[in-house]
């Protein structure tokens, strides 16, 4: 079958347009580049020559390939040259009237069969198409920056776009070595539609002083495996660009979660646009630099020293409890592993021994270190043995009644001055604290699963937690080589409060038939660099667990946009809970 679009015009040769032009030329197609004027055209050609020279230096291209590629690209300032193209891709600034005017001109200049594509990231493709007499041959083709390395292309259809035109553009994307996903015409499409709502909530979290920018970013990198924290990513994208996308999203959805956080507008008004201006959420060495500089912290009262922790107790015998025991034991701390029976405790220690053995087999641990860690762990079937430990971590079932009952018992048993910590991921820490007569000694210490591998610990202080208790847990995290982030006692803490609304948005996107499970997962992995797509992650976490957390978040914040998606509730009611039942958003039993 003949390859689609042997000649492609690219109008607007900034960073994105130049990248698209080079990618198309690499496929052997002729490229007609169009800029706004002669000076801009000269600069654009120089930009293309410089980027391809860098590609040769980095061995992504040979010198011969570069020569052949440049021979396929012509750059000028006459829009009429686009009449020679089979496909025109527009990459001009994100201004609706500018794009509509351009498309009206292209419609007049180009033959009726020419396909016109907009590279918009946030504007309505339908409204752009309406400026032409050929809306069936107008669509969106959203490349991601940098074009040479980003595999994702969102092919955006309006209600009038012909399936043939969309498929031809998807085929072109595949021929460029990209992976196209089909999206409908709504602000943000798939990747940005999910990404920017999450970034907006992170900005609002920082604005409310719930956590520091460093802790928010570290929490999402270490807790979710994301390539960048949300505030650093906002600086990279550009605070002004993010605000523009969010305004477009809110205009369509009227969802308050899409309304740009006020801090974004304040930063834009002040000219603090992120890396490109040298300052945004962070300050950088110079405009355009990627290197943040340390800033002087505001004067604050010195934190008191923490309490001494010479031994710890862990309540529970499940995967999380066993993992936490392993963390403490490998750091050289004596640990009492307390379960509801001696048999359960012994079984948990046996699981710990297997985990340590796997580490030895993989060369991560010596046999001596394994034996030393195991020798520090004492299994017990009675909580009364915890009487003399300096810190207890509760890791039992995620049920508030169960946890409160345990904290009441620990209050009676454990010596005065000991720290009592819960590793809850979704329940209020204060409710555990008020089950005791010493709420000042109670704190959240939220490990992530698997605890031995995951570096993050959310340190959650209630309104009653003593400062030296917080200091104790922060010092202990450093001792066991974990990265602590501090936050207050509200639903979801940092990670789940940002992660689960994003997952819920993905489910809503699916139930609205906007995109498929595979396309949404592909978009987030290839477009945003996420280690897993939202539906892969939901199936791993468990749909029932996810639904519980969604409900807790909605109950706490009362935002309509945080209400659990009906599809998630239906799947849980049907017993489709993800990998653990063999079926969730995907059928794992057949794989």
């Amino acid at each position: 079958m003949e390859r689609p679009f042997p000649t492609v015009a690219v109008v607007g040769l900034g960073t994105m347009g130049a990248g698209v032009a080079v990618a198309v030329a690499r496929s052997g197609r002729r490229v007609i580049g169009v800029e706004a004027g002669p000076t801009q055209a000269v600069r654009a050609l120089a930009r293309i020559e410089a980027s391809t020279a860098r590609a040769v230096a980095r061995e992504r291209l040979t010198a011969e390939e570069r020569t052949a590629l440049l021979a396929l690209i012509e750059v000028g300032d006459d829009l009429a040259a686009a009449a020679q193209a089979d496909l025109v891709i527009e990459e001009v600034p994100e201004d609706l009237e500018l794009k509509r005017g351009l498309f009206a001109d292209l419609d007049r200049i180009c033959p009726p069969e020419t396909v016109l594509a907009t590279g918009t990231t946030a504007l309505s493709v339908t409204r752009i198409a309406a400026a032409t007499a050929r809306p069936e041959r107008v669509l969106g083709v959203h490349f991601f920056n940098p074009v040479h390395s980003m595999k994702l292309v969102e092919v955006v259809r309006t209600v009038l776009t012909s399936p043939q035109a969309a498929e031809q553009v998807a085929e072109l994307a595949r021929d460029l070595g990209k992976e196209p996903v089909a999206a409908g015409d709504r602000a943000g499409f798939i990747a940005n539609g999910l990404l920017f709502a999450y970034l907006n909530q992170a900005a609002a979290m920082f604005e409310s002083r719930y956590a520091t920018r460093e802790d928010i970013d570290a929490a999402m990198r270490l807790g979710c495996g994301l390539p960048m924290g949300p505030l650093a990513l906002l600086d990279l994208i550009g605070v002004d660009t993010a605000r523009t996308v969010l305004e477009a999203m809110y205009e369509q959805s009227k969802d308050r979660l899409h309304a740009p956080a006020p801090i974004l507008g304040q930063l834009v008004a002040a000219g603090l646009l992120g890396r490109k201006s040298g300052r945004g959420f962070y300050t950088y060495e110079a405009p355009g630099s990627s290197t943040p500089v340390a800033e002087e912290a505001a004067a604050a009262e010195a934190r008191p020293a923490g309490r001494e922790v010479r031994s710890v107790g862990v309540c529970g015998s499940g995967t999380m409890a066993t993992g936490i025991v392993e963390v403490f034991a490998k750091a050289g701390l004596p640990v009492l592993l307390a379960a509801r029976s001696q048999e359960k405790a012994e079984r948990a220690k046996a699981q710990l021994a297997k985990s340590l053995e796997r580490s030895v087999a993989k060369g991560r641990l010596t046999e001596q270190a394994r034996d030393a860690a195991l020798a520090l762990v004492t299994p017990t079937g009675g909580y009364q043995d915890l009487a003399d430990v300096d810190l207890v971590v509760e890791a039992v079932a995620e049920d508030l009644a169960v946890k409160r009952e345990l904290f009441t018992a620990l209050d009676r048993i454990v010596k005065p001055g000991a720290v009592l910590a819960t590793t809850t991921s979704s329940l209020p820490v204060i409710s555990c604290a008020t089950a005791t007569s010493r709420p000042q000694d109670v704190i959240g210490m939220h490990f992530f699963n698997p605890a031995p591998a995951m570096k993050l610990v959310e340190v959650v202080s209630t309104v009653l937690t003593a400062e030296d208790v917080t200091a104790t847990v922060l010092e202990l995290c450093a001792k066991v080589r974990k990265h602590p982030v501090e936050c207050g006692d509200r639903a979801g803490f940092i990670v789940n409060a940002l992660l689960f609304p994003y997952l819920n948005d993905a489910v809503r996107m699916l139930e609205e038939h906007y995109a498929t499970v595979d396309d949404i997962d592909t978009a987030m992995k290839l477009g945003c660099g996420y280690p897993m797509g939202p539906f892969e992650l939901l199936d791993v976490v468990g749909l029932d667990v996810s639904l519980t957390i969604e409900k807790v978040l909605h109950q706490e914040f009362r935002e309509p946009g945080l209400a659990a998606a009906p599809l998630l509730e239906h799947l849980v009611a049907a017993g489709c809970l993800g990998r653990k039942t063999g079926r969730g958003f995907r059928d794992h039993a057949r794989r």
Side-chain angles (χ1 to χ4, degrees):
M1 188 173 70
E2 187 178 345
R3 293 197 311 168
F5 311 124
T7 300
V8 177
V10 180
V11 182
L13 295 169
T15 302
M16 182 62 77
V20 172
V22 169
V24 173
R26 285 193 72 169
S27 72
R29 291 172 168 83
R30 179 188 172 206
V31 177
I32 300 167
V34 182
E35 259 296 349
T39 303
Q40 294 95 320
V42 170
R43 288 176 182 163
L45 185 57
R47 191 178 298 119
I48 289 169
E49 289 173 343
S51 70
T52 52
R54 286 194 298 273
V56 171
R58 294 169 182 171
E59 299 184 343
R60 293 199 306 261
L61 275 178
T62 65
E64 294 76 17
E65 287 171 335
R66 176 177 182 260
T67 300
L69 183 156
L70 291 174
L72 289 168
I73 300 175
E74 59 184 87
V75 179
D77 64 337
D78 184 3
L79 190 62
Q84 305 168 54
D86 309 290
L87 168 70
V88 181
I89 299 174
E90 163 274 308
E91 292 288 356
V92 302
E94 206 69 337
D95 179 289
L96 181 60
E97 292 312 312
L98 174 64
K99 290 180 188 285
R100 280 174 54 83
L102 174 61
F103 270 71
D105 291 341
L106 289 170
D107 187 42
R108 189 170 58 254
I109 292 167
C110 296
E113 64 273 13
T114 303
V115 174
L116 308 179
T118 172
T120 183
T121 62
L123 301 175
S124 167
V125 179
T126 303
R127 293 180 69 183
I128 294 170
T132 76
R134 63 177 92 190
E136 73 285 351
R137 300 191 72 71
V138 178
L139 72 169
V141 55
H142 179 212
F143 289 84
F144 286 70
N145 196 30
V147 176
H148 71 266
S149 62
M150 297 296 280
K151 291 289 189 182
L152 182 67
V153 175
E154 291 176 319
V155 179
V156 185
R157 298 185 190 186
T158 74
V159 291
L160 296 176
T161 304
S162 79
Q164 180 189 16
E167 181 47 44
Q168 284 182 313
V169 170
E171 182 58 35
L172 168 69
R174 284 188 282 268
D175 205 31
L176 301 185
K178 308 297 184 185
E179 188 156 344
V181 296
D185 181 26
R186 74 179 192 188
F189 313 133
I190 299 174
N192 285 349
L194 294 176
L195 174 68
F196 279 87
Y198 148 70
L199 297 179
N200 195 38
Q201 295 313 298
M205 181 179 281
F206 171 70
E207 184 174 23
S208 71
R209 300 187 179 184
Y210 176 67
T212 67
R213 61 187 179 183
E214 291 83 2
D215 279 356
I216 292 170
D217 279 355
M220 299 313 291
R221 284 188 295 103
L222 300 177
C224 299
L226 304 187
M228 292 183 77
L231 302 179
L233 182 54
L234 279 164
D235 277 356
L236 174 61
I237 292 167
V239 179
D240 52 340
T241 301
R243 189 168 183 267
T244 297
V245 173
L246 285 163
E247 288 283 14
M249 290 173 62
Y250 179 73
E251 182 64 28
Q252 288 191 22
S253 70
K254 298 298 188 287
D255 185 339
R256 287 193 306 183
L257 296 179
H258 296 158
I263 192 173
L264 298 178
Q266 293 157 17
L267 289 170
V268 171
L272 307 179
L273 309 181
R275 287 189 185 183
K276 60 188 173 187
S277 68
R279 186 177 167 194
F281 286 95
Y282 294 86
T283 299
Y284 298 86
E285 288 182 342
S289 169
S290 62
T291 306
V293 297
E295 297 179 56
E296 288 186 21
E301 293 182 15
R303 192 190 299 276
R307 304 173 187 178
E308 187 177 7
V309 177
R310 293 160 299 185
S311 62
V312 299
V314 176
C315 299
S317 56
T319 302
M320 180 57 79
T322 307
I324 294 169
V325 170
E326 181 174 336
V327 168
F328 289 137
K330 286 197 294 193
L333 284 165
V335 189
L336 274 169
L337 196 171
R340 286 181 294 176
S341 69
Q342 188 66 35
E343 182 185 1
K344 283 181 178 291
E346 296 286 356
R347 197 180 307 140
K349 184 172 181 181
Q351 288 301 116
L352 168 62
K354 289 180 182 178
S355 175
L356 293 170
E357 189 57 47
R358 285 193 296 270
S359 294
V360 171
K362 293 174 181 177
R364 297 173 184 162
L365 198 68
T366 65
E367 292 183 359
Q368 292 84 354
R370 173 202 63 196
D371 294 342
L374 272 175
L376 288 168
V377 178
T378 303
T380 176
Y383 292 140
Q384 65 275 6
D385 291 339
L386 299 171
D388 293 323
V389 299
D390 300 306
L391 179 141
V392 179
V393 177
E394 163 276 308
V396 299
E398 194 74 342
D399 180 302
L400 186 56
V402 172
K403 289 183 186 291
R404 280 180 58 85
E405 182 181 352
L406 175 57
F407 271 82
T408 299
L410 293 174
D411 186 35
R412 291 194 306 267
I413 294 167
V414 182
K415 68 183 181 183
V419 174
L420 306 180
T422 172
T423 194
T424 182
S425 62
S426 60
L427 299 173
V429 178
I430 192 67
S431 294
C432 296
T434 53
T436 75
S437 63
R438 46 172 136 178
Q440 71 279 1
D441 293 337
V442 179
I443 193 168
M445 194 176 184
H446 179 212
F447 288 82
F448 285 71
N449 197 27
M454 298 293 280
K455 297 289 290 182
L456 183 68
V457 176
E458 289 178 318
V459 179
V460 186
S461 300
T462 76
V463 291
L464 298 176
T465 303
E467 288 188 12
D468 67 332
V469 168
T470 303
T472 301
V473 173
L474 291 173
E475 291 168 9
L476 180 61
C477 286
K479 183 174 182 178
V480 301
R481 297 182 180 178
K482 296 297 181 185
H483 186 115
V485 295
E486 291 186 73
C487 58
D489 181 24
R490 72 181 199 190
F493 311 138
I494 299 175
V495 173
N496 286 351
L498 295 177
L499 174 65
F500 281 88
Y502 148 74
L503 297 176
N504 199 44
D505 281 351
V507 180
R508 289 187 185 281
M509 191 175 275
L510 177 66
E511 71 184 5
E512 291 166 7
H513 305 289
Y514 177 72
T516 66
V517 165
D518 288 340
D519 278 355
I520 293 170
D521 275 357
T522 296
M524 298 314 293
K525 288 190 290 184
L526 298 185
C528 301
Y530 283 18
M532 300 177 78
F535 297 108
E536 288 178 284
L537 184 54
L538 281 161
D539 277 358
V540 168
V541 171
L543 274 58
D544 51 341
V545 173
S546 302
L547 178 60
T548 297
I549 294 173
E550 297 286 3
K551 287 181 173 180
V552 167
L553 290 170
H554 184 232
Q555 175 66 25
E556 176 102 333
F557 298 108
R558 308 298 173 94
E559 277 285 355
L562 293 178
L567 177 58
L568 184 61
E569 293 186 314
H570 295 165
L571 287 168
V572 171
C576 300
L577 308 183
R579 287 186 177 273
K580 58 189 173 186
T581 61
R583 184 175 175 188
F585 286 99
R586 289 185 172 88
D587 188 346
H588 302 280
R590 295 181 181 178
R591 297 186 173 215

